[in-house]
Structure formats: structure tokens, C-alpha cells
Amino acid sequence: MFEIFLRVSMDGEILLWLQENMRNSILTPILSFITNLAYNGEVWIAISIILLCLKKYRKIGFKTLLAMFISMILCDNLLKNIVARPRPYDSIEELIRIGHRVKSYSFPSGHTSTAFAFATAFTKGMPKKYVVLVWILAVIMAFSRLYLGYHYPTDVLGGMVVGTFCGFLGGIIINGVMNYFNSKKSDTE
């Protein structure tokens, strides 16, 4: 069933093309920095905590945290272990990884899933200028995983799909919980 994710030919060719044609002394430190901003979701968690502290955006803070939590469970604890796809640098001899070796499996990209879960949950209710910045950072985060050699393009696409799903699901759950408590509160008044 998951054999398609284990095929590396086209995915590998894209990574090797990036390595040969896009890697340079300017992009490498920038994309390494961006990838490291969210190694464990730090940048997204920090923004979520700030949102929780602001009454106007507290609900969005809950949505983003829940979306990222669901993403972590689905991506890192479930899908990666079911698919068990090796990292591209372990399968493509010519590919040079930039950064440390990661022990987890490759599909789907956890960095990408977390970034897209956050961005999706963050989108509704926030000022447009912040939404655009968050989506730009999420897309750059996804690209950095390819550029640095940590993921295949299909890993990143999978992370985008899983993350977007988690962002919507987190929003639906928080809206439902808040609506439930608001209705209980109005019943007691």
C-alpha cells in the first residue's frame, strides 16, 4: 500500500537538482536557521503562548496549540511509523545532508505538518498581514526541509496535507468546546 512512498527516483532527482542548482552560501545559513526555529515547534509554540496571553486572540492560541498537538500525534507517532520511509540521505548516495542526522522516519515531514497546522489554525480571525507572514514562514519551512536534504518532496506534500487537516480539526474542536461552555454559561444566568 505504501510502496509509492518508498520509490525514490523522481523525488530523489528533485533533491539532487536542488543540491546541484540551488544550494549556496547565502541560502544555506538562512534555511538552516529557519528549520532550526521549529526543530521542536519552538517558534509556533512561542507565538501560541503570546496569543493565549492576549484576550482578543486567546481562542486562536488554543486552536494553534491543539492543531500542533494533533499534528504531532498523527505525524510523528502514527504515520511516520506506519509508512517507515527512510530519510533521503540514507537512500540516495549522492545526496549530502546539511545538518545533523535525524533518527525518525521521513514521511510525512513533521516540520511541515506542524507549520501548516499552525498556519491553518492561525488564519481565521487574525489580521491579514500576520496571516501572510505566517504562511510565508510555513512555506519557507517546508522548502527548507527539501533544501537541507531531510525530506523527499512527497514527504513535504504529505506534511502539508496532514498539517492543513490538523489545523482545520483543531479549529473545529476548539470552536465546539467554546460553544458548549458558552451555552452552559448562558444556561446558568
Side-chain angles (χ1 to χ4, degrees):
M1 178 174 165
F2 296 109
E3 292 83 17
I4 192 167
F5 298 112
L6 299 176
R7 291 179 37 207
V8 298
S9 59
M10 189 167 142
D11 264 357
E13 289 173 24
I14 292 169
L15 293 178
L16 291 173
W17 185 89
L18 288 172
Q19 176 176 283
E20 297 304 317
N21 297 290
M22 291 197 71
R23 284 187 181 174
N24 62 63
S25 60
I26 296 170
L27 276 181
T28 298
I30 293 169
L31 293 176
S32 294
F33 174 76
I34 288 173
T35 250
N36 289 326
L37 274 177
Y39 189 70
N40 292 306
E42 293 91 339
V43 70
W44 311 118
I45 292 168
I47 296 169
S48 295
I49 290 170
I50 292 167
L51 293 171
L52 289 173
C53 294
L54 304 170
K55 187 174 182 180
K56 181 177 180 181
Y57 300 117
R58 189 165 294 144
K59 185 176 181 180
I60 296 169
F62 283 121
K63 288 179 183 182
T64 57
L65 284 173
L66 182 59
M68 291 186 296
F69 179 73
I70 296 168
S71 169
M72 180 189 70
I73 298 299
L74 272 178
C75 216
D76 297 330
N77 296 342
L78 189 64
L79 292 172
K80 280 185 186 272
N81 294 315
I82 290 171
V83 177
R85 185 182 200 186
R87 295 279 176 167
Y89 52 76
D90 289 329
S91 300
I92 304 169
E93 188 176 310
E94 302 87 6
L95 185 66
I96 300 166
R97 169 190 87 251
I98 298 175
H100 65 282
R101 178 173 288 282
V102 179
K103 295 178 183 174
S104 65
Y105 291 115
S106 191
F107 182 88
S109 167
H111 274 73
T112 303
S113 181
T114 301
F116 274 67
F118 179 91
T120 302
F122 182 84
T123 296
K124 190 172 181 184
M126 290 300 293
K128 188 175 182 174
K129 63 183 176 182
Y130 299 124
V131 171
V132 170
L133 288 174
V134 162
W135 277 105
I136 289 171
L137 184 56
V139 168
I140 293 171
M141 180 73 63
F143 177 73
S144 76
R145 304 309 286 164
L146 300 172
Y147 180 92
L148 299 171
Y150 284 101
H151 288 285
Y152 294 101
T154 49
D155 299 341
V156 169
L157 289 173
M160 290 174 174
V161 170
V162 171
T164 301
F165 168 77
C166 294
F168 281 120
L169 184 59
I172 290 167
I173 292 170
I174 293 299
N175 285 337
V177 168
M178 294 217 160
N179 289 340
Y180 173 79
F181 283 112
N182 286 338
S183 71
K184 288 293 183 188
K185 184 179 175 182
S186 64
D187 288 347
T188 59
E189 293 175 354

